[in-house]
Amino acid sequence: LRVVVTHHGPDYDREKWSAGARAILRLGERWGMRHAHARIAISAVIQALIARRHDRPSVCIPNGVELPAAQPPGPALAAFGLAPGRYVLNVSRLVPEKRQLDLIDAFQAAALPGWRLALVGGLPSDDDYVARVRAAAAAAGRAVVLTGFQQGRALAELFANAGLFVLPSTHEGLPIALLEALSHGLPCLASDIPANRAVGLPAAHYFATGDRTQLSAGLQRLARRPQDSAERTRLRAWVSQNFDWQRIARQTLGVYRQAARQALPTRLQRAWLPD
């Protein structure tokens, strides 16, 4: 069999793993990168990692996103007491490397009049970090709302009507939540880790990772600058040009075909694997 491995990021860098788990993940990366017949990296940062650590070529094909239809304010916003355009949104798992505690502190320091912070993500009852996020949110009073896990129309509504999306992570592959926010035309603020920078936002939309003062200043700056419909349209067009699933699917199929051809005699390639 021909094997193609897609590298979504160095998962062993996540804070939750023990030393043993990190070793197993590193071994999986080593075998996958060194013995596959073809490799796909979802960002230029990961492509460079593959070349540096494993001396193997790879094809850079990013994650993609579909441009969503407009979602007017509805039951999701009403359920959580959110006003359109007047809340900061974060969508991610509640784990230490996503840095929700940084965001809560920075949001309170920013003191945005009439704004709330909405944290979207599952809330398991037996998780120490989730307990800390719950406590910080409770201490902030009504300023912070924990929505729990959301999907489908409710999640689309939360994205579509936010005033600002923030991703303060210390670890990402190529952040799909950030791409989803951009597909809705939202102004975004992200930590300056290489994976977030690979998305290609202007420099003013990044802040130093873990720097709550910079994050707070960024929240104030972007919240004061209302976004017009023309700017949102331009942003959505840029997302469509750079992260279109149809183009990504064609690129991926090309890698699969090239790997499959390596196993076939030349006389059979045209019959079995037409372009």
Side-chain angles (χ1 to χ4, degrees):
L1 294 178
R2 315 307 285 176
V3 177
V4 178
V5 176
T6 299
H7 198 317
H8 287 266
D11 204 64
Y12 41 77
D13 286 342
R14 296 189 188 277
E15 297 178 36
K16 65 180 179 179
W17 297 120
S18 66
R22 292 173 195 271
I24 292 171
L25 289 166
R26 288 182 183 277
L27 182 62
E29 177 188 86
R30 180 183 178 89
W31 284 355
M33 295 300 100
R34 299 196 181 195
H35 300 296
H37 299 98
R39 290 147 293 275
I40 296 173
I42 65 168
S43 74
V45 174
I46 297 171
Q47 187 178 37
L49 179 152
I50 294 169
R52 183 176 68 254
R53 293 185 181 174
H54 306 289
D55 193 25
R56 295 293 189 274
S58 60
V59 179
C60 183
I61 303 176
N63 291 324
V65 66
E66 295 182 7
L67 288 187
Q71 290 284 349
L77 264 65
F80 300 115
L82 299 172
R86 302 291 286 180
Y87 62 94
V88 175
L89 180 67
N90 171 262
V91 179
S92 67
R93 290 174 296 113
L94 269 66
V95 291
E97 64 266 20
K98 299 297 185 179
R99 309 289 286 208
Q100 285 92 352
L101 293 174
D102 283 1
L103 181 52
I104 292 172
D105 282 354
F107 178 78
Q108 289 182 279
L112 306 178
W115 285 65
R116 301 184 76 189
L117 170 61
L119 301 179
V120 180
L123 298 166
S125 59
D126 58 347
D127 185 281
D128 289 343
Y129 179 75
V130 170
R132 292 167 61 197
V133 172
R134 285 182 183 273
R142 294 193 69 258
V144 179
V145 56
L146 304 179
T147 73
F149 176 76
Q150 300 294 322
Q151 62 182 342
R153 185 180 181 87
L155 180 59
E157 185 184 326
L158 290 167
F159 267 119
N161 294 284
L164 174 62
F165 180 84
V166 181
L167 188 66
S169 309
T170 58
H171 176 85
E172 295 286 346
L174 186 68
I176 293 178
L178 181 56
L179 297 183
E180 289 179 341
L182 292 167
S183 76
H184 284 275
L186 290 180
C188 294
L189 188 61
S191 55
D192 64 353
I193 59 175
N196 288 344
R197 284 197 170 277
V199 173
L201 298 176
H205 292 263
Y206 293 103
F207 65 93
T209 307
D211 189 325
R212 299 182 183 188
T213 301
Q214 272 197 29
L215 174 52
S216 181
L219 291 171
Q220 291 175 330
R221 182 178 69 253
L222 292 178
R224 291 195 205 103
R225 181 177 171 271
Q227 185 189 42
D228 60 31
S229 59
E231 185 177 0
R232 179 168 287 209
T233 299
R234 285 194 297 270
L235 185 54
R236 282 165 55 87
W238 176 82
V239 170
S240 180
Q241 180 181 350
N242 289 279
F243 301 100
D244 174 62
W245 270 128
Q246 295 299 317
R247 178 176 56 83
I248 290 165
R250 288 192 295 270
Q251 289 177 303
T252 304
L253 180 59
V255 174
Y256 291 169
R257 282 177 166 159
Q258 185 61 36
R261 283 192 178 99
Q262 298 173 28
L264 288 175
T266 303
R267 68 180 184 277
L268 296 179
Q269 289 183 12
R270 290 179 62 83
W272 288 13
L273 293 166
D275 290 327

